[in-house]
Amino acid sequence: MPEDQNDSKTGPNHVAIIMDGNGRWAQQRGRPRLFGHHAGARRVREIVAACPDQGVKYLTIFAFSTENWKRTQSEVSGLMTLFRKYIENEAKALLKNGVRVRFIGDRIRLDDKLVSLMDELELLTADSDLVHLTVAINYGGRDEVTRAAQRLAHEVEQGRLSYKDVDAETLSGFLDTHVLPDPDLVIRTSGEARISNFLLWQSAYAEYEFIDTLWPDFTAKEFANVLANYGNRERRFGGVNA
Ligand code: FPP
């Protein structure tokens, strides 16, 4: 097995999470959807903190998709404010806890204040190595591959790359995730069994867990149970195990 392919027996090195169900969680309580997103943000803190003990080195979370702009203006702006506040409030603790933060997605549509906070947090935590947290904001798998293809085509046009040298590895190098290993396990909460444009290229051989729990109810204990379940899987990466 190549070094970058994770054996399920050692637990997942890279876990990616589609944090779904905030809206329904709030609705069940007769509260506005943003109330659910705020509760969801508290779970983010708990799950990030649980990673070192669980042996999870890379955690990638889907915070806002390229399709989420279709939501009401008040929900979108409430989420953007939440991301800004989260960065401002959590920066110190993330640094102290050895968390390196990266953001993926297209920043072009995000407001300048948010983008500068994202840049600052990436810089602040650039030397941390205990947990690598990647937050996907204005992220879509197809959009990411399209942007990568554009950059790649530009390199060919400029004569810096020959089309004959383009292979999967070259394309991976142009993705937002180019410094990250592929996810071993993708978790989606809230009972929906779809991938919604998340890490399409990178999840080619990932294991999937679809959990009924709504994201604001997803505890570190349940996270540990899901990871333990991953240990019972046999990963073959298209091959045949002995
Ligand atoms: C999906 O639930 C959730 C989102 C689109 C937002 C995710 C954001 C957070 C968890 C907030 C905190 C994140 C960070 C990084 C601070 P939904 O609204 O689609 O729920 P529903 O399917 O029940 O409507």
Side-chain angles (χ1 to χ4, degrees), residues 19-25 27 33 36-42 44 61-65 68 71 75 79 82-83 86 135 137 190 192 214-215:
M19 309 179 289
D20 197 10
N22 296 348
R24 275 164 285 167
W25 185 89
Q27 213 168 16
R33 296 176 58 81
H37 295 315
H38 281 266
R42 289 192 288 278
V44 170
I61 55 174
F62 206 1
F64 194 89
S65 77
N68 285 153
R71 297 188 176 205
E75 183 172 354
L79 274 167
L82 174 60
F83 299 146
Y86 187 87
V135 185
I137 301 184
S190 94
E192 310 288 350
L214 303 177
W215 175 253

PDB file of all heavy atoms in Angstrom, residues 19-25 27 33 36-42 44 61-65 68 71 75 79 82-83 86 135 137 190 192 214-215, ligand 1:
ATOM      1  N   MET A  19     -21.359  19.325   7.337  1.00  0.00           N
ATOM      2  CA  MET A  19     -22.053  19.627   8.605  1.00  0.00           C
ATOM      3  C   MET A  19     -23.493  20.041   8.278  1.00  0.00           C
ATOM      4  O   MET A  19     -23.785  21.214   8.168  1.00  0.00           O
ATOM      5  CB  MET A  19     -21.335  20.775   9.314  1.00  0.00           C
ATOM      6  CG  MET A  19     -19.835  20.576   9.457  1.00  0.00           C
ATOM      7  SD  MET A  19     -19.018  21.973  10.281  1.00  0.00           S
ATOM      8  CE  MET A  19     -19.117  23.244   9.037  1.00  0.00           C
ATOM      9  N   ASP A  20     -24.373  19.073   8.153  1.00  0.00           N
ATOM     10  CA  ASP A  20     -25.728  19.380   7.686  1.00  0.00           C
ATOM     11  C   ASP A  20     -26.740  19.259   8.833  1.00  0.00           C
ATOM     12  O   ASP A  20     -26.549  18.458   9.756  1.00  0.00           O
ATOM     13  CB  ASP A  20     -26.082  18.395   6.554  1.00  0.00           C
ATOM     14  CG  ASP A  20     -27.258  18.881   5.733  1.00  0.00           C
ATOM     15  OD1 ASP A  20     -27.678  20.048   5.898  1.00  0.00           O
ATOM     16  OD2 ASP A  20     -27.779  18.080   4.929  1.00  0.00           O
ATOM     17  N   GLY A  21     -27.795  20.039   8.735  1.00  0.00           N
ATOM     18  CA  GLY A  21     -28.909  19.900   9.668  1.00  0.00           C
ATOM     19  C   GLY A  21     -29.096  21.057  10.635  1.00  0.00           C
ATOM     20  O   GLY A  21     -29.966  20.997  11.516  1.00  0.00           O
ATOM     21  N   ASN A  22     -28.321  22.122  10.472  1.00  0.00           N
ATOM     22  CA  ASN A  22     -28.454  23.267  11.391  1.00  0.00           C
ATOM     23  C   ASN A  22     -29.845  23.895  11.301  1.00  0.00           C
ATOM     24  O   ASN A  22     -30.434  24.270  12.327  1.00  0.00           O
ATOM     25  CB  ASN A  22     -27.432  24.362  11.052  1.00  0.00           C
ATOM     26  CG  ASN A  22     -25.996  23.922  11.243  1.00  0.00           C
ATOM     27  OD1 ASN A  22     -25.746  22.887  11.838  1.00  0.00           O
ATOM     28  ND2 ASN A  22     -25.067  24.699  10.728  1.00  0.00           N
ATOM     29  N   GLY A  23     -30.337  24.023  10.069  1.00  0.00           N
ATOM     30  CA  GLY A  23     -31.634  24.670   9.859  1.00  0.00           C
ATOM     31  C   GLY A  23     -32.756  23.882  10.519  1.00  0.00           C
ATOM     32  O   GLY A  23     -33.600  24.439  11.238  1.00  0.00           O
ATOM     33  N   ARG A  24     -32.763  22.575  10.275  1.00  0.00           N
ATOM     34  CA  ARG A  24     -33.823  21.725  10.863  1.00  0.00           C
ATOM     35  C   ARG A  24     -33.740  21.709  12.395  1.00  0.00           C
ATOM     36  O   ARG A  24     -34.742  21.718  13.086  1.00  0.00           O
ATOM     37  CB  ARG A  24     -33.705  20.293  10.316  1.00  0.00           C
ATOM     38  CG  ARG A  24     -34.418  20.114   8.995  1.00  0.00           C
ATOM     39  CD  ARG A  24     -33.980  18.871   8.291  1.00  0.00           C
ATOM     40  NE  ARG A  24     -32.652  19.034   7.710  1.00  0.00           N
ATOM     41  CZ  ARG A  24     -31.911  18.052   7.247  1.00  0.00           C
ATOM     42  NH1 ARG A  24     -32.337  16.807   7.319  1.00  0.00           N
ATOM     43  NH2 ARG A  24     -30.733  18.293   6.707  1.00  0.00           N
ATOM     44  N   TRP A  25     -32.536  21.708  12.908  1.00  0.00           N
ATOM     45  CA  TRP A  25     -32.330  21.702  14.362  1.00  0.00           C
ATOM     46  C   TRP A  25     -32.973  22.950  14.975  1.00  0.00           C
ATOM     47  O   TRP A  25     -33.652  22.885  15.999  1.00  0.00           O
ATOM     48  CB  TRP A  25     -30.823  21.662  14.641  1.00  0.00           C
ATOM     49  CG  TRP A  25     -30.431  21.525  16.077  1.00  0.00           C
ATOM     50  CD1 TRP A  25     -30.246  20.360  16.763  1.00  0.00           C
ATOM     51  CD2 TRP A  25     -30.153  22.587  17.004  1.00  0.00           C
ATOM     52  NE1 TRP A  25     -29.863  20.631  18.053  1.00  0.00           N
ATOM     53  CE2 TRP A  25     -29.804  21.990  18.230  1.00  0.00           C
ATOM     54  CE3 TRP A  25     -30.157  23.973  16.908  1.00  0.00           C
ATOM     55  CZ2 TRP A  25     -29.459  22.726  19.361  1.00  0.00           C
ATOM     56  CZ3 TRP A  25     -29.823  24.724  18.023  1.00  0.00           C
ATOM     57  CH2 TRP A  25     -29.484  24.092  19.239  1.00  0.00           C
ATOM     58  N   GLN A  27     -35.309  24.846  13.513  1.00  0.00           N
ATOM     59  CA  GLN A  27     -36.753  24.776  13.231  1.00  0.00           C
ATOM     60  C   GLN A  27     -37.474  23.944  14.284  1.00  0.00           C
ATOM     61  O   GLN A  27     -38.540  24.322  14.767  1.00  0.00           O
ATOM     62  CB  GLN A  27     -36.936  24.115  11.868  1.00  0.00           C
ATOM     63  CG  GLN A  27     -38.108  24.616  11.073  1.00  0.00           C
ATOM     64  CD  GLN A  27     -37.990  24.100   9.625  1.00  0.00           C
ATOM     65  OE1 GLN A  27     -37.221  23.160   9.340  1.00  0.00           O
ATOM     66  NE2 GLN A  27     -38.747  24.693   8.722  1.00  0.00           N
ATOM     67  N   ARG A  33     -33.104  30.026  11.564  1.00  0.00           N
ATOM     68  CA  ARG A  33     -32.054  29.127  11.078  1.00  0.00           C
ATOM     69  C   ARG A  33     -30.667  29.499  11.621  1.00  0.00           C
ATOM     70  O   ARG A  33     -29.845  28.631  11.904  1.00  0.00           O
ATOM     71  CB  ARG A  33     -32.033  29.121   9.548  1.00  0.00           C
ATOM     72  CG  ARG A  33     -33.306  28.578   8.920  1.00  0.00           C
ATOM     73  CD  ARG A  33     -33.263  28.691   7.399  1.00  0.00           C
ATOM     74  NE  ARG A  33     -32.119  27.993   6.866  1.00  0.00           N
ATOM     75  CZ  ARG A  33     -32.069  26.666   6.656  1.00  0.00           C
ATOM     76  NH1 ARG A  33     -33.131  25.914   6.924  1.00  0.00           N
ATOM     77  NH2 ARG A  33     -30.990  26.104   6.177  1.00  0.00           N
ATOM     78  N   GLY A  36     -29.439  27.820  14.643  1.00  0.00           N
ATOM     79  CA  GLY A  36     -28.842  26.498  14.381  1.00  0.00           C
ATOM     80  C   GLY A  36     -27.390  26.616  13.930  1.00  0.00           C
ATOM     81  O   GLY A  36     -26.542  25.819  14.327  1.00  0.00           O
ATOM     82  N   HIS A  37     -27.092  27.615  13.110  1.00  0.00           N
ATOM     83  CA  HIS A  37     -25.706  27.776  12.651  1.00  0.00           C
ATOM     84  C   HIS A  37     -24.780  28.129  13.825  1.00  0.00           C
ATOM     85  O   HIS A  37     -23.640  27.669  13.886  1.00  0.00           O
ATOM     86  CB  HIS A  37     -25.627  28.855  11.572  1.00  0.00           C
ATOM     87  CG  HIS A  37     -26.360  28.489  10.300  1.00  0.00           C
ATOM     88  ND1 HIS A  37     -26.250  27.247   9.721  1.00  0.00           N
ATOM     89  CD2 HIS A  37     -27.227  29.193   9.507  1.00  0.00           C
ATOM     90  CE1 HIS A  37     -27.000  27.202   8.620  1.00  0.00           C
ATOM     91  NE2 HIS A  37     -27.610  28.367   8.480  1.00  0.00           N
ATOM     92  N   HIS A  38     -25.298  28.950  14.747  1.00  0.00           N
ATOM     93  CA  HIS A  38     -24.477  29.287  15.919  1.00  0.00           C
ATOM     94  C   HIS A  38     -24.216  28.045  16.773  1.00  0.00           C
ATOM     95  O   HIS A  38     -23.092  27.835  17.253  1.00  0.00           O
ATOM     96  CB  HIS A  38     -25.139  30.391  16.751  1.00  0.00           C
ATOM     97  CG  HIS A  38     -24.933  31.754  16.154  1.00  0.00           C
ATOM     98  ND1 HIS A  38     -23.903  32.580  16.521  1.00  0.00           N
ATOM     99  CD2 HIS A  38     -25.607  32.398  15.174  1.00  0.00           C
ATOM    100  CE1 HIS A  38     -23.944  33.688  15.796  1.00  0.00           C
ATOM    101  NE2 HIS A  38     -24.976  33.608  14.974  1.00  0.00           N
ATOM    102  N   ALA A  39     -25.238  27.225  16.945  1.00  0.00           N
ATOM    103  CA  ALA A  39     -25.045  25.970  17.691  1.00  0.00           C
ATOM    104  C   ALA A  39     -24.055  25.077  16.940  1.00  0.00           C
ATOM    105  O   ALA A  39     -23.211  24.407  17.549  1.00  0.00           O
ATOM    106  CB  ALA A  39     -26.389  25.267  17.876  1.00  0.00           C
ATOM    107  N   GLY A  40     -24.141  25.096  15.601  1.00  0.00           N
ATOM    108  CA  GLY A  40     -23.224  24.311  14.764  1.00  0.00           C
ATOM    109  C   GLY A  40     -21.781  24.754  14.960  1.00  0.00           C
ATOM    110  O   GLY A  40     -20.865  23.927  15.000  1.00  0.00           O
ATOM    111  N   ALA A  41     -21.580  26.055  15.089  1.00  0.00           N
ATOM    112  CA  ALA A  41     -20.216  26.576  15.272  1.00  0.00           C
ATOM    113  C   ALA A  41     -19.618  26.067  16.587  1.00  0.00           C
ATOM    114  O   ALA A  41     -18.419  25.778  16.667  1.00  0.00           O
ATOM    115  CB  ALA A  41     -20.229  28.093  15.231  1.00  0.00           C
ATOM    116  N   ARG A  42     -20.463  25.935  17.627  1.00  0.00           N
ATOM    117  CA  ARG A  42     -19.946  25.407  18.904  1.00  0.00           C
ATOM    118  C   ARG A  42     -19.495  23.954  18.742  1.00  0.00           C
ATOM    119  O   ARG A  42     -18.512  23.517  19.330  1.00  0.00           O
ATOM    120  CB  ARG A  42     -21.004  25.549  20.008  1.00  0.00           C
ATOM    121  CG  ARG A  42     -21.221  27.005  20.422  1.00  0.00           C
ATOM    122  CD  ARG A  42     -22.032  27.122  21.707  1.00  0.00           C
ATOM    123  NE  ARG A  42     -23.446  26.784  21.528  1.00  0.00           N
ATOM    124  CZ  ARG A  42     -24.372  27.629  21.055  1.00  0.00           C
ATOM    125  NH1 ARG A  42     -24.051  28.862  20.727  1.00  0.00           N
ATOM    126  NH2 ARG A  42     -25.633  27.253  20.932  1.00  0.00           N
ATOM    127  N   VAL A  44     -18.268  22.719  15.993  1.00  0.00           N
ATOM    128  CA  VAL A  44     -16.996  22.751  15.257  1.00  0.00           C
ATOM    129  C   VAL A  44     -15.852  22.788  16.267  1.00  0.00           C
ATOM    130  O   VAL A  44     -14.901  22.016  16.191  1.00  0.00           O
ATOM    131  CB  VAL A  44     -16.926  23.978  14.302  1.00  0.00           C
ATOM    132  CG1 VAL A  44     -15.514  24.145  13.738  1.00  0.00           C
ATOM    133  CG2 VAL A  44     -17.943  23.836  13.169  1.00  0.00           C
ATOM    134  N   ILE A  61     -13.817  20.803   6.816  1.00  0.00           N
ATOM    135  CA  ILE A  61     -15.256  20.990   7.064  1.00  0.00           C
ATOM    136  C   ILE A  61     -15.876  21.907   6.015  1.00  0.00           C
ATOM    137  O   ILE A  61     -15.276  22.875   5.569  1.00  0.00           O
ATOM    138  CB  ILE A  61     -15.506  21.555   8.490  1.00  0.00           C
ATOM    139  CG1 ILE A  61     -14.725  22.846   8.735  1.00  0.00           C
ATOM    140  CG2 ILE A  61     -15.168  20.502   9.545  1.00  0.00           C
ATOM    141  CD1 ILE A  61     -15.046  23.510  10.076  1.00  0.00           C
ATOM    142  N   PHE A  62     -17.110  21.554   5.649  1.00  0.00           N
ATOM    143  CA  PHE A  62     -17.832  22.274   4.597  1.00  0.00           C
ATOM    144  C   PHE A  62     -18.697  23.331   5.282  1.00  0.00           C
ATOM    145  O   PHE A  62     -19.727  23.017   5.870  1.00  0.00           O
ATOM    146  CB  PHE A  62     -18.717  21.267   3.847  1.00  0.00           C
ATOM    147  CG  PHE A  62     -19.044  21.645   2.428  1.00  0.00           C
ATOM    148  CD1 PHE A  62     -18.554  22.807   1.851  1.00  0.00           C
ATOM    149  CD2 PHE A  62     -19.837  20.801   1.653  1.00  0.00           C
ATOM    150  CE1 PHE A  62     -18.851  23.128   0.527  1.00  0.00           C
ATOM    151  CE2 PHE A  62     -20.140  21.112   0.332  1.00  0.00           C
ATOM    152  CZ  PHE A  62     -19.644  22.276  -0.230  1.00  0.00           C
ATOM    153  N   ALA A  63     -18.268  24.587   5.204  1.00  0.00           N
ATOM    154  CA  ALA A  63     -18.990  25.646   5.915  1.00  0.00           C
ATOM    155  C   ALA A  63     -19.960  26.398   5.010  1.00  0.00           C
ATOM    156  O   ALA A  63     -21.004  26.864   5.479  1.00  0.00           O
ATOM    157  CB  ALA A  63     -17.994  26.624   6.534  1.00  0.00           C
ATOM    158  N   PHE A  64     -19.610  26.540   3.733  1.00  0.00           N
ATOM    159  CA  PHE A  64     -20.481  27.318   2.827  1.00  0.00           C
ATOM    160  C   PHE A  64     -20.165  26.896   1.397  1.00  0.00           C
ATOM    161  O   PHE A  64     -19.012  26.966   0.951  1.00  0.00           O
ATOM    162  CB  PHE A  64     -20.208  28.821   3.013  1.00  0.00           C
ATOM    163  CG  PHE A  64     -21.254  29.697   2.391  1.00  0.00           C
ATOM    164  CD1 PHE A  64     -22.384  30.082   3.103  1.00  0.00           C
ATOM    165  CD2 PHE A  64     -21.114  30.157   1.083  1.00  0.00           C
ATOM    166  CE1 PHE A  64     -23.365  30.891   2.522  1.00  0.00           C
ATOM    167  CE2 PHE A  64     -22.079  30.968   0.503  1.00  0.00           C
ATOM    168  CZ  PHE A  64     -23.200  31.342   1.218  1.00  0.00           C
ATOM    169  N   SER A  65     -21.191  26.458   0.672  1.00  0.00           N
ATOM    170  CA  SER A  65     -20.950  25.953  -0.681  1.00  0.00           C
ATOM    171  C   SER A  65     -21.197  27.037  -1.725  1.00  0.00           C
ATOM    172  O   SER A  65     -21.823  28.070  -1.440  1.00  0.00           O
ATOM    173  CB  SER A  65     -21.861  24.757  -0.960  1.00  0.00           C
ATOM    174  OG  SER A  65     -23.167  25.213  -1.241  1.00  0.00           O
ATOM    175  N   ASN A  68     -24.762  27.778  -1.785  1.00  0.00           N
ATOM    176  CA  ASN A  68     -25.451  28.351  -0.616  1.00  0.00           C
ATOM    177  C   ASN A  68     -25.832  29.833  -0.783  1.00  0.00           C
ATOM    178  O   ASN A  68     -26.624  30.367   0.001  1.00  0.00           O
ATOM    179  CB  ASN A  68     -24.609  28.182   0.658  1.00  0.00           C
ATOM    180  CG  ASN A  68     -24.622  26.769   1.203  1.00  0.00           C
ATOM    181  OD1 ASN A  68     -23.684  26.338   1.859  1.00  0.00           O
ATOM    182  ND2 ASN A  68     -25.693  26.018   0.949  1.00  0.00           N
ATOM    183  N   ARG A  71     -29.553  30.965  -0.725  1.00  0.00           N
ATOM    184  CA  ARG A  71     -30.349  31.141   0.499  1.00  0.00           C
ATOM    185  C   ARG A  71     -30.741  32.610   0.657  1.00  0.00           C
ATOM    186  O   ARG A  71     -30.235  33.463  -0.054  1.00  0.00           O
ATOM    187  CB  ARG A  71     -29.531  30.659   1.701  1.00  0.00           C
ATOM    188  CG  ARG A  71     -29.250  29.176   1.563  1.00  0.00           C
ATOM    189  CD  ARG A  71     -28.611  28.578   2.774  1.00  0.00           C
ATOM    190  NE  ARG A  71     -28.489  27.147   2.566  1.00  0.00           N
ATOM    191  CZ  ARG A  71     -28.418  26.247   3.524  1.00  0.00           C
ATOM    192  NH1 ARG A  71     -28.424  26.612   4.785  1.00  0.00           N
ATOM    193  NH2 ARG A  71     -28.327  24.963   3.233  1.00  0.00           N
ATOM    194  N   GLU A  75     -29.909  35.022   5.768  1.00  0.00           N
ATOM    195  CA  GLU A  75     -29.153  33.834   6.205  1.00  0.00           C
ATOM    196  C   GLU A  75     -27.701  33.916   5.714  1.00  0.00           C
ATOM    197  O   GLU A  75     -26.761  33.632   6.476  1.00  0.00           O
ATOM    198  CB  GLU A  75     -29.809  32.539   5.708  1.00  0.00           C
ATOM    199  CG  GLU A  75     -29.065  31.309   6.227  1.00  0.00           C
ATOM    200  CD  GLU A  75     -29.755  29.971   5.957  1.00  0.00           C
ATOM    201  OE1 GLU A  75     -30.897  29.965   5.451  1.00  0.00           O
ATOM    202  OE2 GLU A  75     -29.130  28.934   6.253  1.00  0.00           O
ATOM    203  N   LEU A  79     -24.475  34.115   8.120  1.00  0.00           N
ATOM    204  CA  LEU A  79     -23.392  33.120   8.092  1.00  0.00           C
ATOM    205  C   LEU A  79     -22.033  33.799   7.917  1.00  0.00           C
ATOM    206  O   LEU A  79     -21.055  33.442   8.590  1.00  0.00           O
ATOM    207  CB  LEU A  79     -23.627  32.115   6.957  1.00  0.00           C
ATOM    208  CG  LEU A  79     -24.529  30.929   7.294  1.00  0.00           C
ATOM    209  CD1 LEU A  79     -24.952  30.183   6.034  1.00  0.00           C
ATOM    210  CD2 LEU A  79     -23.832  29.956   8.264  1.00  0.00           C
ATOM    211  N   LEU A  82     -21.052  35.217  11.079  1.00  0.00           N
ATOM    212  CA  LEU A  82     -20.639  34.135  11.978  1.00  0.00           C
ATOM    213  C   LEU A  82     -19.196  33.694  11.669  1.00  0.00           C
ATOM    214  O   LEU A  82     -18.395  33.484  12.597  1.00  0.00           O
ATOM    215  CB  LEU A  82     -21.615  32.954  11.846  1.00  0.00           C
ATOM    216  CG  LEU A  82     -21.284  31.671  12.604  1.00  0.00           C
ATOM    217  CD1 LEU A  82     -21.199  31.917  14.111  1.00  0.00           C
ATOM    218  CD2 LEU A  82     -22.345  30.585  12.333  1.00  0.00           C
ATOM    219  N   PHE A  83     -18.848  33.574  10.393  1.00  0.00           N
ATOM    220  CA  PHE A  83     -17.475  33.168  10.046  1.00  0.00           C
ATOM    221  C   PHE A  83     -16.460  34.212  10.545  1.00  0.00           C
ATOM    222  O   PHE A  83     -15.419  33.864  11.078  1.00  0.00           O
ATOM    223  CB  PHE A  83     -17.311  32.975   8.524  1.00  0.00           C
ATOM    224  CG  PHE A  83     -18.204  31.908   7.932  1.00  0.00           C
ATOM    225  CD1 PHE A  83     -18.724  32.027   6.645  1.00  0.00           C
ATOM    226  CD2 PHE A  83     -18.549  30.772   8.665  1.00  0.00           C
ATOM    227  CE1 PHE A  83     -19.551  31.054   6.103  1.00  0.00           C
ATOM    228  CE2 PHE A  83     -19.380  29.787   8.129  1.00  0.00           C
ATOM    229  CZ  PHE A  83     -19.885  29.928   6.849  1.00  0.00           C
ATOM    230  N   TYR A  86     -16.264  33.964  14.294  1.00  0.00           N
ATOM    231  CA  TYR A  86     -15.607  32.715  14.680  1.00  0.00           C
ATOM    232  C   TYR A  86     -14.085  32.888  14.587  1.00  0.00           C
ATOM    233  O   TYR A  86     -13.349  32.522  15.505  1.00  0.00           O
ATOM    234  CB  TYR A  86     -16.072  31.572  13.770  1.00  0.00           C
ATOM    235  CG  TYR A  86     -15.561  30.212  14.209  1.00  0.00           C
ATOM    236  CD1 TYR A  86     -16.262  29.450  15.135  1.00  0.00           C
ATOM    237  CD2 TYR A  86     -14.378  29.696  13.703  1.00  0.00           C
ATOM    238  CE1 TYR A  86     -15.797  28.201  15.542  1.00  0.00           C
ATOM    239  CE2 TYR A  86     -13.905  28.458  14.103  1.00  0.00           C
ATOM    240  CZ  TYR A  86     -14.625  27.712  15.020  1.00  0.00           C
ATOM    241  OH  TYR A  86     -14.153  26.484  15.418  1.00  0.00           O
ATOM    242  N   VAL A 135     -11.138  24.818   6.215  1.00  0.00           N
ATOM    243  CA  VAL A 135     -12.526  25.265   6.205  1.00  0.00           C
ATOM    244  C   VAL A 135     -12.891  25.647   4.773  1.00  0.00           C
ATOM    245  O   VAL A 135     -12.233  26.495   4.159  1.00  0.00           O
ATOM    246  CB  VAL A 135     -12.733  26.471   7.147  1.00  0.00           C
ATOM    247  CG1 VAL A 135     -14.207  26.844   7.213  1.00  0.00           C
ATOM    248  CG2 VAL A 135     -12.181  26.167   8.542  1.00  0.00           C
ATOM    249  N   ILE A 137     -15.120  27.487   2.300  1.00  0.00           N
ATOM    250  CA  ILE A 137     -16.081  28.606   2.232  1.00  0.00           C
ATOM    251  C   ILE A 137     -16.187  29.062   0.780  1.00  0.00           C
ATOM    252  O   ILE A 137     -15.163  29.321   0.146  1.00  0.00           O
ATOM    253  CB  ILE A 137     -15.640  29.795   3.130  1.00  0.00           C
ATOM    254  CG1 ILE A 137     -15.516  29.362   4.601  1.00  0.00           C
ATOM    255  CG2 ILE A 137     -16.625  30.959   3.000  1.00  0.00           C
ATOM    256  CD1 ILE A 137     -15.177  30.489   5.572  1.00  0.00           C
ATOM    257  N   SER A 190     -27.170  14.519   9.461  1.00  0.00           N
ATOM    258  CA  SER A 190     -28.571  14.907   9.195  1.00  0.00           C
ATOM    259  C   SER A 190     -29.352  13.960   8.307  1.00  0.00           C
ATOM    260  O   SER A 190     -30.453  14.300   7.871  1.00  0.00           O
ATOM    261  CB  SER A 190     -28.669  16.341   8.656  1.00  0.00           C
ATOM    262  OG  SER A 190     -28.689  16.360   7.248  1.00  0.00           O
ATOM    263  N   GLU A 192     -29.036  12.913   5.259  1.00  0.00           N
ATOM    264  CA  GLU A 192     -29.032  13.050   3.797  1.00  0.00           C
ATOM    265  C   GLU A 192     -27.853  12.244   3.252  1.00  0.00           C
ATOM    266  O   GLU A 192     -26.726  12.399   3.722  1.00  0.00           O
ATOM    267  CB  GLU A 192     -28.851  14.509   3.364  1.00  0.00           C
ATOM    268  CG  GLU A 192     -29.777  15.510   4.034  1.00  0.00           C
ATOM    269  CD  GLU A 192     -31.213  15.410   3.541  1.00  0.00           C
ATOM    270  OE1 GLU A 192     -31.448  14.687   2.547  1.00  0.00           O
ATOM    271  OE2 GLU A 192     -32.083  16.023   4.156  1.00  0.00           O
ATOM    272  N   LEU A 214     -28.430  15.494  13.623  1.00  0.00           N
ATOM    273  CA  LEU A 214     -28.270  16.835  13.047  1.00  0.00           C
ATOM    274  C   LEU A 214     -26.956  17.426  13.569  1.00  0.00           C
ATOM    275  O   LEU A 214     -26.566  17.164  14.715  1.00  0.00           O
ATOM    276  CB  LEU A 214     -29.463  17.719  13.450  1.00  0.00           C
ATOM    277  CG  LEU A 214     -30.850  17.178  13.043  1.00  0.00           C
ATOM    278  CD1 LEU A 214     -31.963  18.101  13.571  1.00  0.00           C
ATOM    279  CD2 LEU A 214     -30.972  17.008  11.533  1.00  0.00           C
ATOM    280  N   TRP A 215     -26.284  18.217  12.738  1.00  0.00           N
ATOM    281  CA  TRP A 215     -24.946  18.688  13.102  1.00  0.00           C
ATOM    282  C   TRP A 215     -24.860  19.311  14.513  1.00  0.00           C
ATOM    283  O   TRP A 215     -23.948  18.981  15.276  1.00  0.00           O
ATOM    284  CB  TRP A 215     -24.367  19.643  12.043  1.00  0.00           C
ATOM    285  CG  TRP A 215     -23.059  20.213  12.478  1.00  0.00           C
ATOM    286  CD1 TRP A 215     -22.817  21.481  12.892  1.00  0.00           C
ATOM    287  CD2 TRP A 215     -21.814  19.493  12.615  1.00  0.00           C
ATOM    288  NE1 TRP A 215     -21.498  21.613  13.271  1.00  0.00           N
ATOM    289  CE2 TRP A 215     -20.864  20.415  13.118  1.00  0.00           C
ATOM    290  CE3 TRP A 215     -21.427  18.164  12.383  1.00  0.00           C
ATOM    291  CZ2 TRP A 215     -19.540  20.047  13.371  1.00  0.00           C
ATOM    292  CZ3 TRP A 215     -20.113  17.801  12.644  1.00  0.00           C
ATOM    293  CH2 TRP A 215     -19.186  18.737  13.131  1.00  0.00           C
TER     294      TRP A 215
HETATM  295  C1  FPP B   1     -25.889  23.065   6.608  1.00  0.00           C
HETATM  296  O1  FPP B   1     -27.046  22.980   7.377  1.00  0.00           O
HETATM  297  C2  FPP B   1     -24.977  23.988   7.215  1.00  0.00           C
HETATM  298  C3  FPP B   1     -24.450  25.082   6.608  1.00  0.00           C
HETATM  299  C4  FPP B   1     -24.765  25.476   5.228  1.00  0.00           C
HETATM  300  C5  FPP B   1     -23.553  25.973   7.348  1.00  0.00           C
HETATM  301  C6  FPP B   1     -22.479  25.304   8.122  1.00  0.00           C
HETATM  302  C7  FPP B   1     -21.986  26.260   9.072  1.00  0.00           C
HETATM  303  C8  FPP B   1     -21.722  26.006  10.356  1.00  0.00           C
HETATM  304  C9  FPP B   1     -21.766  24.683  10.997  1.00  0.00           C
HETATM  305  C10 FPP B   1     -21.415  27.185  11.162  1.00  0.00           C
HETATM  306  C11 FPP B   1     -20.084  27.263  11.707  1.00  0.00           C
HETATM  307  C12 FPP B   1     -18.963  27.008  10.825  1.00  0.00           C
HETATM  308  C13 FPP B   1     -17.773  27.554  11.061  1.00  0.00           C
HETATM  309  C14 FPP B   1     -16.585  27.171  10.270  1.00  0.00           C
HETATM  310  C15 FPP B   1     -17.595  28.563  12.103  1.00  0.00           C
HETATM  311  P1  FPP B   1     -28.403  23.477   6.742  1.00  0.00           P
HETATM  312  O2  FPP B   1     -28.540  24.924   7.028  1.00  0.00           O
HETATM  313  O3  FPP B   1     -28.439  23.137   5.290  1.00  0.00           O
HETATM  314  O4  FPP B   1     -29.448  22.644   7.539  1.00  0.00           O
HETATM  315  P2  FPP B   1     -30.841  22.065   6.995  1.00  0.00           P
HETATM  316  O5  FPP B   1     -30.499  21.075   5.926  1.00  0.00           O
HETATM  317  O6  FPP B   1     -31.434  21.446   8.205  1.00  0.00           O
HETATM  318  O7  FPP B   1     -31.620  23.235   6.482  1.00  0.00           O
END
